[in-house]
């Protein structure tokens, strides 16, 4: 079995690699009196979920936050599925609190005896009452274990920001309860700073859930010790292999895993492929992910010049704006600075930005509209990806890897999102001309149709 083949979040704690400084920073906050909440910010597939799984695995015999781990109860909930429920957001709040109550019950080794959820057609006030009842169930569990500090691990907290506001208010209320508030903390993950998830005036509200997070931690590139530990999975690799993988992946966890998986397979199962073939295969696998990262960076850092060209042009000093972008890449293990200035440290990332896809495109002088219609979050993500690759066929797997690096949906679920996009951009959605399906391949957003 390829020790680098798993691209999904690491569940087994023994396979979790590195992040010692980040874990120490989280533990410093959790062991304060009272425990402090913290937010972990990172790109898609940067290891955020694996970190929460690792915290959840803490046990008296395997402490994570020193000798104090025994007093913590870690409950994990993924809020990602609640991010795009549209008209069903109220029920999303109900599902979230049910999942939070269930996770807390399981962490306490209790029998799962939760109240039944109401039917879909009930009134809004009844839904709020049902959510409140589930919150009270959670409070009761916390009161019964006064010797424990409860840490709620909320993955993809963007989903909470898109639920009715009473969801976040109820979460905040757990920290304000006079009986249990001093024993409650949240560790959440997000792909963007929390300030981008809610209106600015909401932060100023004394009861805001978001104001609990005074500081944010960034999960970025690996240090040398972490990378050495990662390579320890495969003692069969020699020093030259490890140096090759470092050159391909830089210090970025996911690119190192992709490069190591290809190099390991080539080393263990020689099939006549050349090193160039191995590099091309790794670059092709990583290209959608790298371009997703790049798109997110450009949304965050407004650069006046052609930023991609500046990154790839290694023989000149970057402008101040470009220097900010290089520093963001350094945090992600994709760039480094030496006596000669900034440079991209990952061959995979550099090639993914410079290479043009090998699929034919449809040329046109008619640009796509710069302002898309009012999409939901997932619709907008899918549309932005297709728009970035307009004029060529994007396979279903390529779209899913780019938008859902973890737990991608089924083909039929992706098709429903495509249909909703068509409803908003096509004059006749039943006979699409802009966003077309290519039989047996995938989808293409055409550039030659106005």
């Amino acid at each position: 079995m390829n020790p680098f083949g798993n691209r999904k979040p690491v569940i087994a704690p023994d396979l979790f690699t590195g992040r010692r400084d980040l874990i120490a920073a989280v533990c410093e906050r959790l062991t304060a009196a009272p425990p402090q909440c913290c937010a972990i910010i990172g790109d898609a597939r940067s290891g955020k979920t694996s970190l929460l799984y690792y915290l959840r695995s803490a046990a008296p015999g395997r402490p994570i936050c020193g000798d104090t781990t025994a007093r913590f109860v870690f409950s994990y909930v993924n809020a990602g599925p609640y991010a795009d429920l549209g008209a069903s957001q109220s029920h999303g709040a109900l599902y979230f609190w049910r999942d939070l109550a269930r996770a807390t019950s399981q962490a306490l080794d209790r029998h799962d005896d939760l109240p039944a959820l109401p039917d879909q057609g009930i009134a809004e006030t009844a839904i709020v009452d049902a959510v409140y009842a589930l919150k009270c169930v959670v409070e009761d569990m916390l009161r019964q274990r006064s010797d424990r500090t409860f840490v709620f691990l909320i993955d993809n907290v963007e989903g909470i920001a898109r639920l009715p506001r009473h969801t976040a208010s109820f979460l905040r209320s757990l920290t304000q309860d006079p009986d249990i508030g001093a024993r409650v903390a949240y560790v959440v993950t997000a792909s963007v700073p929390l300030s981008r998830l809610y209106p600015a005036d909401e932060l100023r509200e004394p009861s805001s859930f978001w104001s609990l997070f005074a500081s944010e931690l960034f999960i970025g590139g690996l240090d040398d010790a972490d990378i050495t530990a990662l390579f320890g999975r495969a003692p069969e690799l020699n020093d030259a292999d490890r140096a090759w993988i470092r050159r391909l992946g830089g210090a970025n966890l996911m690119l190192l895993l992709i490069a190591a998986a290809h190099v390991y397979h080539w080393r263990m199962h020689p099939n006549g492929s050349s090193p160039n073939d191995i590099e091309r295969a790794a670059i092709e696998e990583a290209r959608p992910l790298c371009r997703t990262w790049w798109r997110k960076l450009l949304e965050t850092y407004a650069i006046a010049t052609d930023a991609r060209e500046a990154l790839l042009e290694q023989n000149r000093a970057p402008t101040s704006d470009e220097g900010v972008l290089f520093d963001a890449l350094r945090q992600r293990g994709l760039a480094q600075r030496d006596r000669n200035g900034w440079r991209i440290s990952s061959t995979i990332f550099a090639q993914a930005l410079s290479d043009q896809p090998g699929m034919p495109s449809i040329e046109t002088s008619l640009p796509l509209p710069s302002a898309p219609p009012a999409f939901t979050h997932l619709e907008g993500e899918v549309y932005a990806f297709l728009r970035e690759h307009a004029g060529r066929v994007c396979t279903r797997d390529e779209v899913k890897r780019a938008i859902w690096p973890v737990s991608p949906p089924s083909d039929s679920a992706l098709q429903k999102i495509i249909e909703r996009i068509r409803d908003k951009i096509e004059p006749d959605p039943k006979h699409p001309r802009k966003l077309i399906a290519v039989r047996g391949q995938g989808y293409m957003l055409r550039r030659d149709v106005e």
Side-chain angles (χ1 to χ4, degrees):
M1 179 180 294
N2 193 320
F4 306 105
N6 179 30
R7 308 284 196 277
K8 295 184 178 298
V10 175
I11 297 177
D14 294 341
L15 295 178
F16 183 79
T17 301
R19 305 297 187 191
R20 295 165 303 163
D21 292 343
L22 186 60
I23 292 171
V26 172
C27 288
E28 180 181 3
R29 288 160 173 77
L30 295 182
T31 54
Q36 304 299 304
C37 303
C38 64
I40 299 169
I41 311 301
D43 297 317
R45 298 171 78 174
S46 59
K48 303 187 298 294
T49 298
S50 295
L51 178 65
L52 294 192
Y53 284 170
Y54 183 68
L55 291 173
R56 183 182 62 175
S57 70
R62 198 181 53 77
I64 291 174
C65 293
D67 295 335
T68 61
T69 301
R71 67 180 172 91
F72 288 120
V73 175
F74 293 96
S75 303
Y76 171 88
V77 176
N78 178 15
Y82 315 115
D84 192 45
L85 292 174
S88 300
Q89 283 184 338
S90 294
H91 276 84
L94 199 56
Y95 301 145
F96 168 77
W97 277 97
R98 177 204 59 190
D99 292 346
L100 188 68
R102 179 172 295 162
T104 305
S105 178
Q106 292 172 348
L108 291 170
D109 294 324
R110 289 170 48 117
H111 177 66
D112 188 349
D113 188 21
L114 302 178
L117 297 185
D119 296 333
Q120 287 276 348
I122 65 171
E124 181 75 18
T125 54
I127 294 177
V128 176
D129 289 343
V131 169
Y132 181 79
L134 285 168
K135 186 204 70 147
C136 292
V137 170
V138 174
E139 288 177 336
D140 288 343
M141 285 189 278
L142 272 57
R143 287 192 176 92
Q144 292 171 19
R145 294 303 302 267
S146 59
D147 60 331
R148 294 290 186 265
T149 295
F150 289 81
V151 181
F152 296 103
L153 310 171
I154 303 180
D155 207 359
N156 302 303
V157 76
E158 293 94 331
I160 302 299
R162 295 183 178 91
L163 292 177
R165 288 183 61 179
H166 61 70
T167 306
S169 297
F170 286 164
L171 288 172
R172 172 68 186 231
S173 72
L174 295 183
T175 67
Q176 296 173 314
D177 186 288
D179 295 330
I180 62 176
R183 299 184 290 109
V184 174
Y186 297 98
V187 178
V188 305
T189 70
S191 59
V192 297
L194 299 189
S195 60
R196 296 178 59 185
L197 300 180
Y198 52 82
D201 58 350
E202 189 172 329
L203 178 62
R204 293 190 289 267
E205 296 178 4
S207 61
S208 170
F209 169 66
W210 308 105
S211 64
L212 292 173
F213 303 92
S215 62
E216 297 175 346
L217 304 173
F218 186 81
I219 182 168
L222 302 178
D223 60 26
D224 289 341
D226 292 343
I227 296 173
T228 299
L230 181 66
F231 289 156
R233 296 183 186 181
E236 302 90 342
L237 296 176
N238 58 41
D239 289 343
D241 293 333
R242 296 187 184 97
W244 184 16
I245 295 167
R246 285 292 302 264
R247 179 175 62 81
L248 289 173
N252 182 275
L253 172 61
M254 188 51 59
L255 298 191
L256 284 169
L257 285 173
I258 290 173
H262 284 276
V263 171
Y264 180 88
H265 182 80
W266 177 72
R267 181 64 68 191
M268 297 297 105
H269 307 283
N271 57 4
S273 299
S274 69
N276 286 340
D277 294 330
I278 302 306
E279 291 198 10
R280 279 193 292 269
I283 291 166
E284 188 61 31
E285 179 181 346
R287 179 182 286 115
L289 181 61
C290 290
R291 293 190 171 184
T292 297
W293 290 342
W294 181 245
R295 187 172 67 247
K296 294 290 187 184
L297 281 170
L298 292 187
E299 291 174 0
T300 304
Y301 302 97
I303 305 296
T305 60
D306 187 335
R308 183 168 69 177
E309 294 301 321
L311 285 173
L312 300 176
E313 187 179 341
Q314 303 282 338
N315 296 321
R316 71 170 176 84
T319 66
S320 58
D321 285 346
E322 293 162 358
V324 171
L325 187 58
F326 264 111
D327 193 56
L329 291 172
R330 178 195 58 78
Q331 286 186 303
R332 292 158 172 79
L334 298 171
Q336 63 184 46
R337 191 173 191 172
D338 54 29
R339 62 183 181 181
N340 297 318
W342 287 106
R343 67 179 181 84
I344 300 297
S345 57
S346 165
T347 299
I348 289 178
F349 185 73
Q351 289 297 319
L353 292 185
S354 63
D355 288 353
Q356 294 301 315
M359 305 182 75
S361 63
I362 299 175
E363 300 296 334
T364 180
S365 59
L366 294 175
L368 285 165
S370 57
F375 294 126
T376 66
H377 174 69
L378 284 181
E379 292 167 6
E381 289 286 297
V382 172
Y383 180 82
F385 180 79
L386 294 174
R387 185 173 183 272
E388 181 180 337
H389 301 88
R392 77 171 181 88
V393 178
C394 297
T395 67
R396 293 176 179 84
D397 284 344
E398 186 180 359
V399 176
K400 289 191 283 188
R401 283 199 306 268
I403 310 303
W404 297 272
V406 178
S407 302
S410 63
D411 286 350
S412 60
L414 175 60
Q415 175 63 28
K416 292 184 185 301
I417 294 175
I418 293 293
E419 290 172 357
R420 297 204 303 266
I421 294 174
R422 284 173 176 159
D423 288 339
K424 298 176 180 180
I425 68 172
E426 298 280 1
D428 183 1
K430 293 185 178 180
H431 300 89
R433 297 179 65 244
K434 298 179 181 180
L435 178 50
I436 63 173
V438 180
R439 186 178 180 86
Q441 296 185 46
Y443 304 100
M444 181 170 66
L445 188 62
R446 298 178 63 180
R447 298 184 64 93
D448 60 337
V449 177
E450 200 169 2

